Amino acid sequence: MMSSTAESQLQEIDVSMLKHWLDRGEAVLIDVREPTEYASEHIPGARLMPLSAFDPSKLMPLTDKRIVLQCQSGNRSTQAAQKMLAAGFDQVAHLQGGLPTWKAAGYKTEVNKNAPISMFRQVQIVAGSLVLIGTVLGAWISPWFLLLSGLVGTGLAFAGITNTCAMAMLLAKLPYNRRAVHTGNMIF
């Protein structure tokens, strides 16, 4: 099943179409999630080009096949598709519903139990810890420590509004997050 919107030239394909194309060698699957997400679990054969470093020009050599973008829910693959369309690609396809729909259809994924925890969980752990520390120190030592909790809350609100997270960008630079993915699967 394929659907297309005239204004964006973005095709949403379902998992059966993607599986068919992959089995026949007619498509290249590009995973636009972050390296830690990819390292934890991905569709076999998917190549990694995270949205944070997405460069459509790197995909030009792959244009002899259909390029299909995939993420966790479809949001990031839609953003990457818009970048490809702006760069001059005629048509771009992405997997409707992302990785969960692939798994729900019963198709296999490659899972790495030794991969670092997801970036989202890392942000939750760090942000929650900072808020807790700020609150405890603010109650026991000095009310000025409550500013730490306020700054973290402001940062999280900003991340939600702008869809960019400075804390995640900083955490992504940590060594255990940078070596999470074998570079042979990366396209940049």
Side-chain angles (χ1 to χ4, degrees):
M1 173 181 170
M2 237 186 302
S3 64
S4 178
T5 57
E7 71 276 354
S8 69
Q9 302 166 321
L10 174 60
Q11 297 175 334
E12 281 193 334
I13 62 167
D14 64 18
V15 291
S16 60
M17 180 65 72
L18 176 59
K19 179 79 167 117
H20 175 75
W21 286 351
L22 291 174
D23 287 346
R24 295 179 53 130
E26 297 174 358
V28 176
L29 181 61
I30 308 297
D31 191 326
V32 299
R33 298 174 304 147
E34 292 305 309
T36 54
E37 295 173 284
Y38 179 92
S40 295
E41 182 176 28
H42 61 271
I43 296 172
R47 295 172 145 195
L48 175 64
M49 183 184 280
L51 183 61
S52 61
F54 195 80
D55 181 359
S57 69
K58 304 277 186 187
L59 299 175
M60 291 296 183
L62 303 175
T63 56
D64 61 324
K65 295 184 179 186
R66 292 179 173 110
I67 296 174
V68 180
L69 303 171
Q70 168 261 315
C71 65
Q72 185 66 25
S73 66
N75 292 332
R76 287 179 280 182
S77 59
T78 299
Q79 292 175 40
Q82 295 305 324
K83 289 182 178 189
M84 289 180 68
L85 292 169
F89 283 80
D90 291 335
Q91 287 194 337
V92 181
H94 82 118
L95 177 60
Q96 182 180 30
L99 184 63
T101 59
W102 179 268
K103 290 168 49 175
Y107 297 130
K108 294 189 185 305
T109 60
E110 292 182 9
V111 178
N112 179 357
K113 298 286 186 197
N114 297 321
I117 60 175
S118 75
M119 189 60 62
F120 183 69
R121 285 186 55 210
Q122 289 182 48
V123 168
Q124 288 177 319
I125 291 167
V126 172
S129 298
L130 289 172
V131 168
L132 177 63
I133 290 167
T135 303
V136 169
L137 292 176
W140 292 90
I141 306 285
S142 168
W144 286 101
F145 282 108
L146 293 173
L147 288 173
L148 176 61
S149 301
L151 287 172
V152 172
T154 301
L156 291 173
F158 180 79
I161 293 166
T162 63
N163 199 26
T164 58
C165 182
M167 188 179 296
M169 288 186 240
L170 289 172
L171 289 170
K173 295 182 185 305
L174 293 175
Y176 65 87
N177 284 327
R178 297 195 74 186
R179 65 176 179 262
V181 179
H182 183 284
T183 56
N185 296 330
M186 298 178 90
I187 301 182
F188 59 92

